[in-house]
Amino acid sequence: VDAAYDLRIERLNKVEGDPETLIEFNWRVIGREHLLNGTIVNHVDFDDTFEIVASVEAFMNGEWKPLAINGRFGICAFFDSLYPKYFLSSFKDSNMPKSRGTCPFKKGEYYMRNIYMQTENWAAYARMGRNKMKFIIMKNNITYGGFIGVAILKDRTF
Ligand SMILES: *[C@@H]1O[C@H](CO)[C@@H](O)[C@H](O)[C@H]1NC(C)=O
Ligand SMILES: *[C@@H]1O[C@H](CO)[C@@H](O)[C@H](O)[C@H]1NC(C)=O
């Protein structure tokens, strides 16, 4: 992989919905390269009434500090702009949507095998070192699922 940055996923934890889980991120980190593997299971169609609430924290001086990259995006807005720009190129062996503007994100099971997260496009938003990314799927501020990932971002030039 030819990139300026190296992203190593340390762990991924599923966030359950409360009171119910409508989307499940069944991901594992596998192999020496810490690739992402598993499925996303949608129990309903996710239209623009659902939002993705995203936030990033960086580990600095012994504590987690929020970075100014928090955002809320309707599902359709996410698939129209952020998904094609930052995620689509990583999902090579996957049945995730292949084109921009996919909406709703349909009920069903989506697999992703041995995914190396391409970081070139979004490394600028994170800090070198340990980052914690939270992705929560909400509607009317009620949590329906999500994940928390911790990853280490390293500069490749050494
Ligand atoms: C990776 O995920 C795919 C799709 O869910 C699954 O078939 C495969 O067994 C997984 N591989 C490992 C090593 O967990
Ligand atoms: C959801 O929470 C955000 C942030 O706490 C708040 O600004 C917003 O008004 C809330 N929206 C609803 C529909 O309760």
Side-chain angles (χ1 to χ4, degrees):
V1 180
D2 188 20
Y5 302 98
D6 188 50
L7 183 87
R8 169 160 286 230
I9 303 170
E10 277 196 319
R11 58 190 166 81
L12 282 168
N13 295 320
K14 193 198 277 202
V15 173
E16 303 283 347
D18 181 15
E20 58 176 332
T21 303
L22 296 181
I23 182 166
E24 293 175 53
F25 293 86
N26 301 313
W27 283 342
R28 292 175 54 204
V29 182
I30 59 167
R32 250 198 296 184
E33 295 193 71
H34 291 214
L35 302 175
L36 183 152
N37 198 65
T39 60
I40 297 177
V41 179
N42 292 355
H43 294 284
V44 296
D45 287 350
F46 286 91
D47 62 19
D48 226 14
T49 63
F50 289 87
E51 287 182 305
I52 297 175
V53 180
S55 61
V56 182
E57 294 173 30
F59 199 70
M60 292 182 281
N61 305 319
E63 53 183 333
W64 290 106
K65 298 255 173 59
L67 297 183
I69 333 168
N70 303 334
R72 301 177 79 99
F73 316 95
I75 292 282
C76 298
F78 175 80
F79 277 99
D80 195 39
S81 59
L82 297 172
Y83 176 76
K85 196 164 177 195
Y86 298 116
F87 298 96
L88 184 53
S89 63
S90 300
F91 291 138
K92 292 198 171 77
D93 187 357
S94 173
N95 62 345
M96 282 289 283
K98 290 285 183 272
S99 58
R100 73 179 300 158
T102 299
C103 208
F105 182 29
K106 284 208 182 314
K107 181 174 176 174
E109 179 168 313
Y110 299 87
Y111 69 86
M112 42 280 295
R113 291 194 195 102
N114 304 327
I115 300 301
Y116 177 82
M117 290 305 293
Q118 311 274 336
T119 49
E120 302 87 80
N121 292 337
W122 53 269
Y125 296 102
R127 286 282 190 116
M128 289 302 130
R130 188 169 274 124
N131 291 268
K132 186 194 285 179
M133 296 145 201
K134 292 188 195 174
F135 251 70
I136 310 295
I137 313 302
M138 297 185 134
K139 182 173 180 167
N140 300 326
N141 283 349
I142 294 169
T143 296
Y144 288 105
F147 69 89
I148 297 176
V150 174
I152 298 186
L153 191 65
K154 277 195 302 199
D155 208 322
R156 262 175 189 262
T157 48
F158 49 81

